Amino acid sequence: MLCGLNPPQREAVLTTEGPVLMLAGAGTGKTAALTARLAHLVRSRLAWPSEILCVTFTNKAAREMRERVGHLIGPAVEGMPWLGTFHSIAARMLRKHAELLGLQSNYTIIDTDDQLRLLKQLIQANDLDEKRWPARQLAGLIDRWKNRGINPDQLDAVENEAYANGRGQQFYKLYQERLKALNACDFGDLLLHMVNILRDHRDVLEQYQQRFKYVMVDEYQDTNQVQYLWLRLIAQVRRNICVVGDDDQSIYSWRGAEVANILRFEKDFPGSKVIRLEQNYRSTPDILAAASGLICANSERLGKTLWTEQDGGDRVRVIGVWDGPEEARRIGEEIERLEREGAPLDRIAILVRAQFQTRELEDRFITIGLNYKIIGGFRFYERAEIRDAMAYLRVIAQPSDDLAFERIYNTPKRGLGDKTLEKLHRHARARGVPLALAAIEIADTDELPARARNTLLSLMRDFARWRDLAKSLSPAELARTLLDESGYTAALQAEKTAEASGRLENLAELARAMEEYETLGDFLEHVSLVMDNDAADDVEKVTIMTIHAAKGLEFDNVFLPGWEEGVFPSQRAMDEGGLASLEEERRLAYVAITRARRRCTILHAANRRIYGQWTSSIPSRFIAELPEAHVEQETTLTGGASLWRAQWSEHSDPFADVARAQPSRTVTRGPGWQRAAAQMYDPTPKRLAEPSRSAASFAAKPRGDVGIGVRVFHDKFGYGTVAAQEGNKLEIDFETGGRKRVIDSFVKLA
């Protein structure tokens, strides 16, 4: 059990009494030490398996730990019911005590979709504009409050003002009341409810304090406030708590993690023993020295120095290039060289700070035929916001594209529901026309309610105008215009979440990519080829992922592009969080470097194209903080390394909003919509995709069996008599609804 462990690891295993902080650097074998400690407690009979609480962050980590402990102690691992994630263990506890909160033990745990649906109902019921105050924004706030252990009656004035001008507390209360009425919880409730129970019911608290002789926590630097409170309550009597973590790898504050939890562990548990795991089994000496030198610039850390018994290895390479496209070309060339030298592609990774950075890399790899995969996310053109934007562009280029039209006719939300779409499909099938033309025809009748009719008219006029603009605007300008005028950008801006900000960045990168193409048709053809070029799963592929997603992984060769001020460290993060966010960005850089086993290559570009304009960039301050003795500098930029080490400084955020939302337009019915329909099917400009059928072939032809004076029946308006006819449009005097304008395919002979 202790075989193969180094002295600090053995000390961590054998120190069983009292609080222990296992400060484990990257690649130092903390999982081996943690599982050996857990097995030692059982094998030494210091505790029964059921008397040990062992908490992880992911189901994958819990499964891995259970398997590794099983190899050490055999079937006894099956008697460890309290080895799992924070949420799974809290859910099990809550099943036993749900009645103390007015819930039943068979409560339901709702997912994100159900949560958003419930919040939308509450917003609508309380006469709040959901477009201005989105349910997703409220869900994010509630999740943040629960992660901090805050109940509705504990919200302060500042937090209350965060939603709907001081109605945050009201909606938080309404939401919790509604959940209780449904006998339901969301994921945030699992821990918050248990903290409330442990605080308010001492008998329950004492039960768990006596049950668990030992408490062990993995990745303690990633705990949030409510997790911290839960652990402290349970462990404060026996104090046999061992936490494992690395303050230098705390990179998840955006989802509630607080690095302060690990920094103050010794104060929370006086007499704690701190055991530093510093021997690294992953990386070369130069990689470790570079990472250690960088992280030393942080002030809020406990401190440790990684070292290794390995010899040799390459220094960290820092390559300066002229622009983003050259960066992608250089990475492609370097990977091809490694491949020729025998390096497996699946041991090569490219780690980016933001997802939008992957687009240029993907396009380059497609061009040179280099197999790659995106981990922890979709390929650039597969992301939902990109697919939405592409659907708009496809309808402009090809109005007969029903799949694209159906995707975005109510995206962003316009109040056009399933019933409207059903009517469009019914009319399109009856007339043999695309949905876009069916929408134009139906919108000029009384088939739809006035609000839906006006909304549909507005959308179809927008498409007609955008298609006309496509003759004079560049593809990139067209994309920015339609994202602006459609309300898509405004909807993302209103969410005010990190996820929405990332989507805006991706849309900005999409528009930038389009600047390389003369026509919209050329760009759409390029995307089709990219999406069709998907290598088989059984071949080796280069891994592309964000640095956040790479935590815990390792690769022989790591490329780190985009190390420029504003990109990395992220200007947005620093604007929102100041010095604390800068230190987290530096920890993220530390994580990125320490993923590399043999070679680490950092790249920065002197110029980036942002929103169609070339912007001068300066190297990241993190590059200047790398110890020169462990860095190999390569740059063709004027001034060399000494200049760029001295020139970094604060500058404005390169990630401005994609576009601003325009005021909504008032839509009125009027003549001319047959002309608008013809314009939609005008094949000019010639380089756009040609419609599959001409405008003339869609001419409105009347039914032969319906004419003036004929009695008919309509599903919505009932019985009536045809009073006038114009093509396939009828004016009918209905017995109960008065005169209405309808399409002949929607009536039957009475």
Side-chain angles (χ1 to χ4, degrees):
M1 191 157 45
L2 299 179
C3 181
L5 300 182
N6 61 38
Q9 290 174 325
R10 285 197 297 270
E11 183 182 9
V13 170
L14 298 175
T15 305
T16 58
E17 303 308 307
V20 176
L21 169 57
M22 198 189 307
L23 198 60
T28 58
K30 59 103 175 172
T31 304
L34 188 63
T35 53
R37 189 178 197 274
L38 187 56
H40 173 70
L41 293 174
V42 176
R43 291 282 293 273
S44 301
R45 300 194 178 183
L46 294 171
W48 293 105
S50 61
E51 294 176 325
I52 301 172
L53 172 63
C54 186
V55 190
T56 67
F57 267 86
T58 66
N59 289 316
K60 179 182 177 181
R63 285 194 301 270
E64 180 183 351
M65 186 170 296
R66 187 176 292 275
E67 289 171 3
R68 294 179 69 162
V69 172
H71 289 312
L72 295 174
I73 65 174
V77 72
E78 301 302 325
M80 302 188 71
W82 303 104
L83 192 166
T85 64
F86 277 98
H87 288 104
S88 66
I89 293 174
R92 183 177 181 187
M93 290 180 173
L94 188 57
R95 296 284 180 197
K96 297 177 178 291
H97 311 289
E99 70 282 355
L100 297 176
L101 295 173
L103 295 171
Q104 300 174 34
S105 61
N106 64 341
Y107 64 83
T108 300
I109 303 174
I110 66 171
D111 59 19
T112 301
D113 289 342
D114 289 335
Q115 181 187 29
L116 290 174
R117 189 178 302 112
L118 178 54
L119 290 173
K120 287 177 182 178
Q121 293 173 1
L122 294 175
I123 291 170
Q124 183 178 10
N126 286 272
D127 299 321
L128 197 64
D129 184 0
E130 207 265 333
K131 291 183 178 179
R132 183 178 179 187
W133 302 103
R136 194 173 296 276
Q137 179 190 357
L138 180 56
L141 287 170
I142 290 175
D143 185 58
R144 187 179 79 188
W145 293 332
K146 291 182 178 181
N147 285 341
R148 292 168 58 189
I150 301 174
N151 293 292
D153 57 355
Q154 296 170 325
L155 278 188
D156 59 27
V158 174
E159 293 290 353
N160 187 39
E161 287 290 332
Y163 185 76
N165 298 324
R167 299 179 69 182
Q169 184 179 57
Q170 173 195 355
F171 278 95
Y172 188 7
K173 285 183 176 179
L174 290 172
Y175 174 64
Q176 292 302 99
E177 290 169 358
R178 182 61 178 150
L179 284 176
K180 184 179 288 188
L182 294 172
N183 191 37
C185 299
D186 62 25
F187 279 97
D189 282 325
L190 299 176
L191 280 156
L192 181 60
H193 282 340
M194 276 312 305
V195 167
N196 289 332
I197 289 172
L198 295 177
R199 280 174 168 169
D200 298 339
H201 300 274
R202 187 158 188 83
D203 58 327
V204 177
L205 175 60
E206 290 176 349
Q207 173 187 336
Y208 288 108
Q209 288 174 339
Q210 293 302 314
R211 175 191 294 270
F212 299 124
K213 290 184 177 180
Y214 294 94
V215 176
M216 299 173 63
V217 189
D218 193 14
E219 303 287 6
Y220 191 66
Q221 79 280 348
D222 293 333
T223 54
N224 59 35
Q225 185 69 8
V226 73
Q227 290 164 344
Y228 163 81
L229 293 171
W230 180 71
L231 289 167
R232 277 205 66 187
L233 285 166
I234 292 173
Q236 64 185 354
V237 173
R238 291 184 181 270
R239 301 179 73 248
N240 288 335
I241 179 172
C242 174
V243 302
V244 185
D246 183 2
D247 53 324
D248 291 334
Q249 295 189 73
S250 180
I251 59 175
Y252 297 119
S253 66
W254 48 274
R255 67 184 189 195
E258 295 193 18
V259 68
N261 292 346
I262 193 170
L263 294 176
R264 69 186 178 203
F265 182 81
E266 292 177 86
K267 293 182 179 178
D268 290 336
F269 295 94
S272 299
K273 187 166 190 176
V274 179
I275 301 173
R276 286 174 166 80
L277 304 187
E278 298 175 308
Q279 182 177 356
N280 180 278
Y281 296 94
R282 174 188 299 160
S283 306
T284 63
D286 282 306
I287 290 174
L288 295 180
S292 296
L294 170 65
I295 201 63
C296 282
N298 271 7
S299 59
E300 294 294 324
R301 61 189 298 261
L302 297 172
K304 62 186 171 304
T305 301
L306 299 183
W307 61 277
T308 180
E309 292 181 345
Q310 295 186 47
D311 294 324
D314 297 337
R315 289 183 292 175
V316 173
R317 298 174 67 198
V318 176
I319 300 177
V321 297
W322 179 248
D323 58 17
E326 183 183 345
E327 179 183 67
R329 288 195 299 272
R330 184 61 184 270
I331 292 175
E333 291 169 0
E334 292 285 330
I335 293 175
E336 288 182 316
R337 178 182 60 80
L338 289 171
E339 188 177 21
R340 287 194 299 272
E341 294 174 357
L345 290 183
D346 56 4
R347 296 183 186 176
I348 300 173
I350 304 169
L351 309 182
V352 298
R353 174 61 182 89
Q355 287 187 340
F356 79 88
Q357 293 176 256
T358 70
R359 200 280 309 167
E360 218 154 41
L361 294 164
E362 292 183 65
D363 281 357
R364 180 60 186 169
F365 291 175
I366 289 294
T367 300
I368 65 177
L370 185 64
N371 295 325
Y372 72 92
K373 59 184 177 182
I374 302 290
I375 301 296
F378 296 102
R379 295 191 300 172
F380 184 81
Y381 293 108
E382 291 175 342
R383 290 166 185 152
E385 65 276 9
I386 301 301
R387 284 188 176 275
D388 289 343
M390 294 295 298
Y392 274 101
L393 295 169
R394 284 165 52 191
V395 173
I396 291 171
Q398 176 52 277
S400 300
D401 192 334
D402 284 356
L403 292 176
F405 182 82
E406 186 172 347
R407 181 181 180 94
I408 48 81
Y409 92 108
N410 194 38
T411 302
K413 298 295 184 182
R414 301 184 174 93
L416 299 174
D418 293 340
K419 291 184 178 179
T420 300
L421 184 61
E422 184 182 342
K423 283 185 176 291
L424 294 181
H425 273 294
R426 177 178 171 184
H427 180 61
R429 287 194 301 270
R431 292 260 292 112
V433 300
L435 288 176
L437 187 55
I440 292 173
E441 294 186 354
I442 286 183
D444 196 33
T445 71
D446 293 305
E447 297 288 352
L448 301 174
R451 182 176 177 180
R453 185 170 62 237
N454 287 343
T455 300
L456 200 56
L457 280 170
S458 175
L459 177 62
M460 302 318 297
R461 285 175 173 170
D462 283 342
F463 271 115
R465 185 180 69 261
W466 293 331
R467 192 158 195 269
D468 187 58
L469 287 174
K471 302 172 186 178
S472 56
L473 294 182
S474 69
E477 292 171 328
L478 177 66
R480 295 185 183 105
T481 298
L482 71 87
L483 287 169
D484 182 349
E485 295 183 356
S486 68
Y488 198 98
T489 298
L492 287 177
Q493 291 170 337
E495 288 186 20
K496 300 178 182 178
T497 63
E499 182 184 22
S501 296
R503 290 178 175 176
L504 288 170
E505 290 175 0
N506 290 338
L507 290 171
E509 178 61 20
L510 173 68
R512 199 217 66 75
M514 296 178 70
E515 292 175 1
E516 301 174 13
Y517 298 87
E518 293 184 4
T519 70
L520 179 57
D522 288 342
F523 176 71
L524 293 176
E525 181 178 337
H526 163 75
V527 174
S528 297
L529 294 174
V530 168
M531 295 300 291
D532 188 54
N533 194 344
D534 191 8
D537 290 335
D538 58 350
V539 301
E540 291 181 355
K541 300 179 184 179
V542 175
T543 298
I544 304 176
M545 63 198 311
T546 64
I547 303 171
H548 282 101
K551 186 173 176 290
L553 302 179
E554 56 185 47
F555 302 89
D556 286 348
N557 299 279
V558 171
F559 292 88
L560 306 175
W563 279 44
E564 300 123 31
E565 286 294 304
V567 179
F568 192 32
S570 163
Q571 189 65 44
R572 187 184 74 239
M574 292 189 295
D575 289 344
E576 293 175 355
L579 179 60
S581 289
L582 173 60
E583 294 213 342
E584 179 159 328
E585 291 286 295
R586 188 175 286 110
R587 293 194 292 269
L588 193 58
Y590 172 84
V591 167
I593 294 173
T594 54
R595 299 311 94 196
R597 284 195 290 248
R598 300 179 60 190
R599 300 181 187 89
C600 178
T601 303
I602 297 170
L603 299 100
H604 64 93
N607 302 279
R608 288 280 177 193
R609 207 170 196 180
I610 301 174
Y611 307 133
Q613 296 182 349
W614 284 107
T615 303
S616 296
S617 302
I618 61 176
S620 168
R621 68 189 73 194
F622 300 152
I623 294 178
E625 293 168 356
L626 296 171
E628 294 188 52
H630 303 284
V631 174
E632 177 186 336
Q633 300 156 359
E634 178 184 338
T635 178
T636 58
L637 306 179
T638 304
S642 60
L643 176 61
W644 56 253
R645 276 183 173 276
Q647 75 177 140
W648 68 263
S649 61
E650 300 290 344
H651 65 289
S652 59
D653 184 359
F655 301 122
D657 292 331
V658 178
R660 297 291 179 187
Q662 296 294 324
S664 59
R665 293 174 293 278
T666 302
V667 180
T668 56
R669 291 179 63 194
W673 271 90
Q674 291 297 332
R675 291 194 300 274
Q679 182 182 10
M680 283 290 292
Y681 288 86
D682 180 358
T684 57
K686 297 299 183 183
R687 295 300 303 276
L688 293 180
E690 294 284 345
S692 57
R693 296 171 64 182
S694 68
S697 69
F698 289 133
K701 298 178 182 178
R703 282 170 54 180
D705 59 343
V706 176
I708 297 175
V710 174
R711 182 174 170 80
V712 295
F713 176 80
H714 189 280
D715 288 342
K716 179 178 179 182
F717 303 119
Y719 291 97
T721 302
V722 177
Q725 183 175 14
E726 179 184 348
N728 70 329
K729 292 187 174 65
L730 307 173
E731 289 191 16
I732 300 175
D733 290 325
F734 288 99
E735 295 174 1
T736 57
R739 179 166 291 191
K740 299 291 183 183
R741 187 174 172 86
V742 302
I743 294 175
D744 59 13
S745 62
F746 282 83
V747 300
K748 305 172 185 176
L749 295 176

